[in-house]
Amino acid sequence: MKIEPELEHPAQGIASAFLRAIVDDDAAAVFERLSQRTRGLLEGLHAARSGGALVAERDVAAVVAPLRTSVVAALGGVERIGRFGVSGARVVDRHTAYVLLLADVEKEGLLTEDDWRPAHLLAFVHEARDWVVDLERTAALSADAELPDPLGSVR
């Protein structure tokens, strides 16, 4: 079953802002757009690496650094990230949506959906009245769509 895009869904703008934050190395903005589950995973990985139990606000850059490194590698470098286009959001259910990332949109110009092939998928969950990026849902939906995970392998 084909899920139709919603061109005015908030996930589309959040995806663009998330990618901009990755490019700008703005750890606070990246962290703000992550689901609680993803934040907890990254904080746990950071605590295991550093031997600390809690993450202070000043440590957000260290917590987000492995995710940023992974995203930059998965999407082909900082320079290339800015060339990705973001499709309209597809709503899977009340709590899950995703956008498709389209490679090299600046070269291609405006295309119809029949003319492009998505390069990646970025999934969102709805929590606390906001749509936020979720590592686990992105991995699962990317695998289902047979697309590489844009969040890569965070360690």
Side-chain angles (χ1 to χ4, degrees):
M1 177 175 90
K2 184 175 177 179
I3 300 174
E4 293 297 320
E6 293 185 21
L7 300 177
E8 295 190 25
H9 192 279
Q12 187 175 10
I14 295 165
S16 294
F18 175 78
L19 293 175
R20 268 193 311 277
I22 292 288
V23 168
D24 294 343
D25 200 9
D26 185 345
V30 170
F31 195 74
E32 165 188 322
R33 289 172 177 84
L34 298 175
S35 69
Q36 292 175 359
R37 182 173 40 205
T38 299
R39 288 179 184 188
L41 171 69
L42 295 176
E43 288 171 339
L45 291 171
H46 175 70
R49 282 190 311 272
S50 67
L54 297 175
V55 175
E57 191 170 317
R58 68 183 180 280
D59 293 336
V60 169
V63 169
V64 171
L67 175 64
R68 180 181 187 274
T69 299
S70 183
V71 170
V72 169
L75 296 182
V78 172
E79 311 78 32
R80 187 162 185 252
I81 292 173
R83 295 194 308 251
F84 278 93
V86 176
S87 76
R90 274 86 167 152
V91 177
V92 177
D93 57 44
R94 288 182 30 199
H95 303 289
T96 310
Y98 66 89
V99 297
L100 299 170
L101 302 182
L102 314 172
D104 299 320
V105 169
E106 71 174 11
K107 290 183 196 173
E108 302 295 335
L110 285 177
L111 301 172
T112 67
E113 191 170 331
D114 294 332
D115 295 331
W116 50 257
R117 165 108 171 94
H120 297 279
L121 176 152
L122 188 60
F124 296 81
V125 294
H126 193 257
E127 59 185 37
R129 296 188 300 259
D130 289 320
W131 288 95
V132 287
V133 176
D134 188 77
L135 195 82
E136 184 178 335
R137 291 299 287 154
T138 296
L141 289 174
S142 293
D144 288 349
E146 298 179 358
L147 293 171
D149 187 342
L151 304 181
S153 176
V154 179
R155 294 186 182 123

